[in-house]
Amino acid sequence: MNPNEIPVGIVGLGLMGCSIVTCLLIAGHPVVAIAPISADLLHAERRIREHLENAKEKGLVENGPEFYLKNLIITEDYAELKLCKIVNECTIENIDIKESVYKKVEAVIAPDALLSSNTSAIPISQLQKLTLHPERFLGLHWTEPAHTTRFLEVICGDDTDIKNGEYLYELSHKWGKEPILVRKDIAGFITNRLMYAMYREAISLVENGYATIEDVDRSCRNNAGYFMTLVGVFRWMDLTGVPAYHTVMKNLLPTLNNSTEVPELIDKVVREGGRGVANSHGFYNYEPGEAEVWEETFKEFTYEIRQLALKYPADVVKKRLAAKGES
């Protein structure tokens, strides 16, 4: 698995598509980046170059942007994907658009090349029915920014050959990931199912007057946010005593929100055109210039939290036990 010998295609050059391209370039892949809409060509190279400059400045990579950009083709021509062994679609969550992209991609790539989607909402089993070779279709669910985060879900649909999922699982370690292989397709995959349960409860607490938006965010930052980079929920329960959670669940679970409707709090923001920091209109009020500073601060944080996280990989305790044994 030498990334230098595995050309990868990315279709869709929005915010996430550009950071995925950056991740793959850093890993050593030749990358063909397809702009489904011409507007993407106006900002794609600038965004990718900025990502690479920041990566060099923060010590994530040793080389400057030009070292990586020589392996990048940005184009609207799908024919450039011909030699790609993996193609990842990163377009908007619209089935018709995705189907159109798959037809253009499959018209040029080899039958054994892998085709994947970065969807976070549409079942992989549904999308693969739109393709000529469903056995080679998978989900690759990234999180932003893709070049600094360790997260990646590799999702198999009903018709996916599991060997293809296992291949991408192994390869993604070379992308700096601690991947999750989702062997059975399920709506929302793993991370979104966990996160949206929390989003729903958070909104419910605010809507019912138990706490403010600021209070709920403060709770997340200083409780779950305190340990989540080191451990997940199961290890956390092990560390802090499983029986206590068993006892609390008996009384607490029946009181949690289980509504199937979109909450009014978020619906109101969207009805009013709110997109969060993207247009300074979200759950919070933003003073002039504040949203931009939040974006800058988040970018800085992703590099700093990465450095901390790398000190505590998933097998950190096994390594420490081995070191003690050797000493």
Side-chain angles (χ1 to χ4, degrees):
M1 285 189 179
N2 183 355
N4 294 320
E5 300 172 355
I6 305 173
V8 179
I10 299 297
V11 182
L13 294 173
L15 189 67
M16 175 140 283
C18 289
S19 69
I20 294 173
V21 168
T22 304
C23 176
L24 296 171
L25 288 173
I26 289 173
H29 290 279
V31 178
V32 177
I34 301 293
I37 55 176
S38 299
D40 285 347
L41 295 173
L42 301 176
H43 59 73
E45 184 174 350
R46 174 183 55 79
R47 276 185 180 169
I48 296 166
R49 182 180 293 275
E50 287 179 356
H51 286 327
L52 292 169
E53 288 173 348
N54 289 330
K56 174 70 162 57
E57 179 183 333
K58 299 294 185 180
L60 180 63
V61 298
E62 296 180 356
N63 300 296
E66 299 305 327
F67 178 85
Y68 302 98
L69 291 173
K70 66 185 180 184
N71 288 324
L72 174 64
I73 297 173
I74 300 178
T75 179
E76 294 180 273
D77 185 4
Y78 282 79
E80 293 284 354
L81 296 171
K82 182 177 181 180
L83 299 179
C84 289
K85 297 181 180 180
I86 304 166
V87 176
N88 191 202
E89 167 265 313
C90 304
T91 61
I92 63 174
E93 299 287 63
N94 181 295
I95 290 180
D96 293 335
I97 290 175
K98 291 183 185 296
E99 182 176 15
S100 173
V101 166
Y102 300 153
K103 288 180 178 178
K104 293 175 182 177
V105 172
E106 289 194 302
V108 296
I109 62 173
D112 60 347
L114 301 185
L115 179 58
S116 63
S117 175
N118 183 43
T119 182
S120 59
I122 306 174
I124 299 305
S125 299
Q126 181 178 353
L127 291 177
Q128 66 186 179
K129 296 183 185 305
L130 308 176
T131 69
L132 297 174
H133 302 281
E135 71 282 355
R136 55 100 175 262
F137 189 91
L138 308 96
L140 277 182
H141 182 209
W142 309 70
T143 192
E144 177 69 17
H147 60 294
T148 63
T149 49
R150 296 184 297 177
F151 172 82
L152 183 74
E153 285 180 312
V154 180
I155 307 107
C156 297
D158 292 343
D159 299 321
T160 304
D161 185 337
I162 188 63
K163 292 181 180 178
N164 291 329
E166 291 169 345
Y167 170 79
L168 286 181
Y169 174 83
E170 293 299 329
L171 178 61
S172 65
H173 284 83
K174 296 185 180 294
W175 303 343
K177 304 302 177 186
E178 287 188 6
I180 305 157
L181 178 56
V182 185
R183 294 175 175 268
K184 292 172 59 179
D185 192 17
I186 184 171
F189 318 131
I190 306 303
T191 299
N192 274 342
R193 293 185 74 86
L194 295 171
M195 291 303 300
Y196 276 82
M198 184 169 70
Y199 297 151
R200 179 172 62 184
E201 187 63 30
I203 291 174
S204 176
L205 290 169
V206 174
E207 286 186 331
N208 288 285
Y210 294 107
T212 64
I213 288 174
E214 292 85 355
D215 287 331
V216 172
D217 275 356
R218 193 175 298 117
S219 175
C220 292
R221 292 175 64 237
N222 296 317
N223 185 25
Y226 184 75
F227 66 82
M228 280 287 190
T229 295
L230 176 64
V231 296
V233 292
F234 291 106
R235 184 79 71 185
W236 179 245
M237 287 190 284
D238 273 357
L239 282 169
T240 53
V242 176
Y245 293 93
H246 182 270
T247 299
V248 172
M249 282 182 182
K250 293 179 182 178
N251 296 319
L252 184 59
L253 293 187
T255 74
L256 298 179
N257 186 292
N258 63 359
S259 172
T260 59
E261 300 295 324
V262 175
E264 169 62 18
L265 182 61
I266 188 172
D267 197 51
K268 182 175 184 293
V269 172
V270 174
R271 288 199 311 268
E272 294 175 351
R275 294 190 291 123
V277 297
N279 65 350
S280 297
H281 182 187
F283 293 109
Y284 285 90
N285 295 317
Y286 294 90
E287 298 177 0
E290 184 180 358
E292 290 79 2
V293 176
W294 266 112
E295 289 183 316
E296 294 169 5
T297 303
F298 175 65
K299 183 188 298 182
E300 180 180 342
F301 174 79
T302 62
Y303 284 99
E304 293 185 5
I305 196 68
R306 175 186 170 85
Q307 291 305 312
L308 176 62
L310 289 176
K311 292 175 61 178
Y312 300 96
D315 58 352
V316 60
V317 170
K318 291 183 179 179
K319 289 181 177 179
R320 290 186 174 187
L321 284 172
K324 286 184 177 180
E326 292 173 358
S327 62

